Amino acid sequence: GRFGGLVKINANGKEQEAVKLVYKDNDFLYVSIHSLHRISKYTGKEGNVPRIDKIGSTTWSTLKQKTKKNVKEVAYDLIKLYAKRKAQPGHRYPLDNYLQHELEASFIYEDTPDQSKATADVKKDMEQEAPMDRLVCGDVGFGKTEIAIRAAFKSVVDGKQAAVLVPTTILAFQHYKTFKDRLKDFPVTVDSINRFKSAKEKKETLQKLVEGKIDIIIGTHGLLAKDTKFKDLGIMIID
């Protein structure tokens, strides 16, 4: 239904406030403000106008049942996927060496407690036999990129490559610059793939990647293309 505003109604001789809900064919329903917990806001695809149902129809309950079934199927597939992932052996990275300590000591800011914990957790995951699958959350400016740099560097130090997948070309360029600046004093080759590169430049980059001449590659969905191959990928970071 659609919210039709707050109205005053007479119920059993008493005036009270209620929410007016308007349905298909201009049918409407009054819900007492004391029963607001029975109403919830519809959340759907952004920009998509929801279809209004008819009062008494089974459309809404049918849709809810179908959605529940789909959610259960997704959950089942996820459980199978994670069970399969847990059963697979991953690459076990060694403990930090002097290069890792030097990189982290060169950070111009003092780590926040959350940043220190996230860094330690990521590295602990990388040092386990199971493949890492960790979500790092934080607002803009909270230092997530620095954590990503440290994880990518840990991979490179152990002879592996790192890939950083981002949603936009601008972010790819920004990360490329940040990674390049942070790792300029270390023997690490950073490159990127974006739509501004010519076909020839992109081909050269992909060739270097498969030959192992690029340690860290940053790019948009082009990193997932069939012609993007690595010599030895150790970590995939998704921003």
Side-chain angles (χ1 to χ4, degrees), residues 160-184:
K160 298 275 186 179
Q161 292 170 302
V164 184
L165 179 65
V166 298
T168 66
T169 303
I170 292 174
L171 193 57
F173 179 74
Q174 183 181 320
H175 276 345
Y176 171 70
K177 192 173 181 303
T178 305
F179 271 70
K180 196 90 171 166
D181 289 346
R182 274 295 278 126
L183 299 170
K184 66 180 185 294

Side-chain angles (χ1 to χ4, degrees), residues 46 82 88 103 105 110 121 142 168 199 228 235 239:
E46 192 176 340
Y82 276 81
Q88 286 182 332
L103 172 72
E110 185 178 345
D121 287 344
F142 272 50
T168 66
T228 304
I235 186 171
D239 192 354

Side-chain angles (χ1 to χ4, degrees), residues 79-190:
I79 290 168
K80 280 204 304 183
L81 174 67
Y82 276 81
K84 188 178 178 183
R85 181 179 284 162
K86 279 289 183 184
Q88 286 182 332
H91 177 71
R92 188 170 191 168
Y93 288 89
L95 298 175
D96 292 353
N97 63 10
Y98 75 97
L99 282 171
Q100 190 77 32
H101 294 310
E102 274 189 32
L103 172 72
E104 294 178 20
S106 68
F107 191 43
I108 60 172
Y109 305 104
E110 185 178 345
D111 285 11
T112 64
D114 283 346
Q115 202 174 20
S116 293
K117 186 179 185 307
T119 300
D121 287 344
V122 166
K123 290 194 291 189
K124 186 179 177 184
D125 281 354
M126 293 176 74
E127 290 159 8
Q128 303 300 314
E129 286 184 354
M132 179 171 72
D133 182 23
R134 176 169 289 275
L135 177 66
V136 178
C137 295
D139 287 335
V140 175
F142 272 50
K144 298 186 298 298
T145 305
E146 175 63 20
I147 296 168
I149 290 169
R150 295 175 186 183
F153 187 71
K154 187 175 179 70
S155 181
V156 171
V157 165
D158 198 38
K160 298 275 186 179
Q161 292 170 302
V164 184
L165 179 65
V166 298
T168 66
T169 303
I170 292 174
L171 193 57
F173 179 74
Q174 183 181 320
H175 276 345
Y176 171 70
K177 192 173 181 303
T178 305
F179 271 70
K180 196 90 171 166
D181 289 346
R182 274 295 278 126
L183 299 170
K184 66 180 185 294
D185 296 327
F186 297 88
V188 178
T189 306
V190 182

Side-chain angles (χ1 to χ4, degrees), residues 60-73:
W60 179 239
S61 58
T62 303
L63 180 61
K64 284 200 293 184
Q65 287 302 321
K66 187 179 176 184
T67 305
K68 283 180 181 177
K69 184 173 178 288
N70 289 342
V71 168
K72 282 180 181 177
E73 286 174 358

